[in-house]
Amino acid sequence: MSDAYDYFRAHAIAAVRKARALPPGRPKLKQRTVARVYHLLAKEAALAPNVHHLDDFRHARRAERQVRH
C-alpha cells in the first residue's frame, strides 16, 4: 500500500470521529460528507496512486475547515 492510502485513511477515520462527536444537524452532515470524500480518496490511492489526488485532498481540507466555523 502507498503512503497516500494510509494518509487519506487516517484523515477519513479522524473525520468520522469528528462527525460522531457533533450534534445532529447540518455541520454533522457536512463532516460526514468530508469523511466520505477522504474514504473515496483512500480507495483511489490504493488502486492507482498519482498526484491528482492532492487537489482533491486540498478541496476536502478546505471543506472541513468550513465545517468547523
Side-chain angles (χ1 to χ4, degrees):
M1 287 191 218
S2 70
D3 292 333
Y5 168 78
D6 296 329
Y7 190 71
F8 291 140
R9 187 169 184 270
H11 277 286
I13 291 169
V16 168
R17 287 180 180 158
K18 286 180 192 176
R20 287 180 182 166
L22 290 172
R26 189 153 174 84
K28 184 172 189 156
L29 293 175
K30 286 182 179 181
Q31 187 64 37
R32 289 190 64 192
T33 302
V34 169
R36 279 189 231 119
V37 169
Y38 286 139
H39 181 71
L40 291 173
L41 287 172
K43 280 183 165 181
E44 285 185 11
L47 296 175
N50 61 38
V51 294
H52 299 294
H53 297 302
L54 294 177
D55 291 333
D56 297 332
F57 176 72
R58 288 184 188 116
H59 291 293
R61 292 292 287 178
R62 191 174 305 126
E64 189 173 15
R65 282 192 296 269
Q66 289 175 353
V67 171
R68 292 184 197 159
H69 295 112

